[in-house]
Amino acid sequence: MNHPSTAREALIAETLGEVAALVERVEALAPAMDASRLALLQVSEELVNQVATFENRMEMLTNNAVVVASNHILRRANEVTARTLDSQILAMQAAAREMFNKEFDPAVLRVVARLNHLAQLAQREENLWVRWFTHACAFATGASLACLVLLKLWLR
């Protein structure tokens, strides 16, 4: 029975030797793990600083993009407003011209026809006062028509 006991003792002794070697290796691993932990902490701090720098850069970039976009939108809005204003002015002038031609030209032709008729009557009239009064009325009417014609030209 001594023989199995000796093998058993040899196995235990060998196992104890391997455990002792394993403990030595684990103890040797502790300083390396501690160094790795310190390096990991340092890298973590550097990463936090880099993220903060990146956030600042991104904020500046975003603010710059907002300013550039706002300026572009403002410039385009001003251009559209100017074009719209010009087109509105042209449309209003065209409408005024059309209205003036529709309403003014026939009325002027009627007044001219009546003035011609009055001028013919005044030529036949012997009374000087009626002639001068007819001429004064014709002058006033002509001056009014001239003002309207100037207004018509100004609207073009």
Side-chain angles (χ1 to χ4, degrees):
M1 280 222 167
N2 282 342
H3 189 6
S5 159
T6 310
R8 189 175 178 181
E9 288 174 4
L11 194 62
I12 290 175
E14 189 177 321
T15 304
L16 285 176
E18 287 180 7
V19 168
L22 185 61
V23 168
E24 286 176 8
R25 286 176 70 191
V26 167
E27 286 176 351
L29 188 62
M33 287 181 65
D34 206 23
S36 295
R37 184 185 62 84
L38 290 176
L40 186 60
L41 285 175
Q42 184 179 6
V43 167
S44 173
E45 288 175 5
E46 289 176 8
L47 186 60
V48 167
N49 290 337
Q50 288 177 355
V51 167
T53 303
F54 178 73
E55 285 176 347
N56 289 337
R57 285 183 185 167
M58 287 304 296
E59 184 177 348
M60 289 185 334
L61 182 65
T62 304
N63 290 339
N64 187 31
V66 167
V67 168
V68 168
S70 297
N71 288 339
H72 179 70
I73 290 170
L74 179 64
R75 194 169 41 254
R76 294 291 295 159
N78 286 339
E79 291 171 2
V80 168
T81 302
R83 281 196 308 266
T84 303
L85 182 63
D86 290 342
S87 66
Q88 286 294 323
I89 288 171
L90 291 175
M92 289 171 63
Q93 286 175 342
R97 227 180 286 113
E98 182 181 333
M99 182 186 70
F100 207 78
N101 289 336
K102 271 185 182 175
E103 300 295 325
F104 177 71
D105 287 344
V108 167
L109 292 176
R110 283 193 307 271
V111 169
V112 167
R114 288 188 182 173
L115 284 176
N116 282 334
H117 178 69
L118 284 175
Q120 290 171 358
L121 287 177
Q123 291 298 329
R124 290 187 229 144
E125 183 63 45
E126 295 294 324
N127 188 350
L128 193 60
W129 171 253
V130 173
R131 278 184 167 174
W132 281 105
F133 183 71
T134 304
H135 286 298
C137 289
F139 174 76
T141 305
S144 299
L145 289 176
C147 288
L148 287 174
V149 168
L150 287 175
L151 178 65
K152 180 179 177 181
L153 292 175
W154 179 70
L155 286 176
R156 285 188 181 178

